[in-house]
Amino acid sequence: MKQQIKEVDLVNLQLDLYNPRLPKSKQGKGESVVIEYLLLEAATLELMESIGENDFFVGEMLLVIPNEDDSDKYIVIEGNRRLTAVMLLNNPDLAKVKKAAIKEVVDSAKFKPPKLPCLVFNSREAIQKYIGFVHITGKKSWRMLEKARYLYELRCSEKFQNLSFVDACKEIARVIGSRSHCVRKTGTSYQLY
């Protein structure tokens, strides 16, 4: 089976209403329910900040299938949190929660991508093996010391070296899509180490 890489207009991308990340009680209830859940439970606001600051990373393209009911539309099987972040950057009125925080992110965003890179599959089944690998066996995540070294290297880089520790942590958090208190805590721990 051959997949196709395609840039798809944001308006032609739809959230997967049956995404396994969603609790059963939220599945099939509509995009607004998915958006609210991802905002409250999946650090989507931090991802919005990162995409708004750095743009969408092409290496993490969305995995999609054609919508059988509408040939112009695609259902995002992998990448619903990223899609939600970009949807909100372009249309913050989609959110029913965290409106003030979303407005702040949108107002400071340098990037609001109108199209996203997608890898188009023929069917949901064709994507299942990849999704199982990513979410179950998974890419090996870094241990805490590796994360701390990475953050330390960022802090020492030219972009952040002239900022105070607190300001650098805020900026680094925005760049990587994290929270500044987490970056501060990890940075402080690494310096003590």
Side-chain angles (χ1 to χ4, degrees), residues 10-138:
L10 192 57
V11 296
N12 290 327
L13 294 169
Q14 300 173 320
L15 293 167
D16 180 7
L17 303 183
Y18 296 94
N19 184 320
R21 171 177 269 179
L22 299 172
K24 268 291 195 211
S25 64
K26 307 265 184 221
Q27 292 188 359
K29 303 287 186 190
E31 283 197 336
S32 64
V33 172
V34 175
I35 291 168
E36 180 176 338
Y37 178 79
L38 292 176
L39 273 168
L40 294 174
E41 303 296 331
T44 302
L45 192 63
E46 290 82 0
L47 184 56
M48 284 178 66
E49 288 178 318
S50 181
I51 293 170
E53 179 71 22
N54 304 297
D55 208 354
F56 193 89
F57 178 56
V58 177
E60 290 287 332
M61 66 181 73
L62 306 177
L63 305 185
V64 304
I65 58 173
N67 184 329
E68 294 174 0
D69 299 327
D70 186 342
S71 61
D72 292 332
K73 306 276 185 190
Y74 295 89
I75 299 171
V76 175
I77 304 302
E78 173 64 21
N80 283 273
R81 194 170 70 99
R82 284 171 275 148
L83 175 59
T84 299
V86 175
M87 288 169 68
L88 291 169
L89 283 168
N90 283 280
N91 185 1
D93 293 333
L94 292 172
K96 296 192 179 355
V97 296
K98 297 190 175 192
K99 290 181 177 239
I102 289 169
K103 181 181 179 345
E104 186 178 320
V105 171
V106 169
D107 289 347
S108 67
K110 297 174 189 167
F111 298 98
K112 298 174 186 175
K115 293 182 177 193
L116 295 177
C118 298
L119 187 58
V120 181
F121 288 77
N122 295 336
S123 67
R124 187 180 291 264
E125 293 75 32
I127 301 176
Q128 295 302 346
K129 285 183 184 176
Y130 176 78
I131 291 176
F133 168 74
V134 169
H135 292 295
I136 296 174
T137 24

Side-chain angles (χ1 to χ4, degrees), residues 180-193:
S180 63
H181 75 276
C182 294
V183 173
R184 268 195 323 271
K185 184 170 82 172
T186 303
T188 302
S189 300
Y190 185 73
Q191 287 178 331
L192 291 172
Y193 172 78

Side-chain angles (χ1 to χ4, degrees), residues 118-177:
C118 298
L119 187 58
V120 181
F121 288 77
N122 295 336
S123 67
R124 187 180 291 264
E125 293 75 32
I127 301 176
Q128 295 302 346
K129 285 183 184 176
Y130 176 78
I131 291 176
F133 168 74
V134 169
H135 292 295
I136 296 174
T137 24
K139 300 173 189 174
K140 187 172 186 214
S141 66
W142 287 350
R143 294 180 304 227
M144 186 53 71
L145 183 56
E146 294 160 338
K147 291 177 185 178
R149 276 192 202 114
Y150 170 77
L151 292 174
Y152 178 77
E153 288 173 11
L154 271 179
R155 170 69 176 103
C156 293
S157 71
E158 191 174 320
K159 182 174 182 177
F160 304 108
Q161 67 185 0
N162 293 327
L163 297 175
S164 71
F165 180 73
V166 171
D167 289 341
C169 290
K170 286 179 187 174
E171 288 303 309
I172 290 169
R174 181 177 300 157
V175 167
I176 66 170

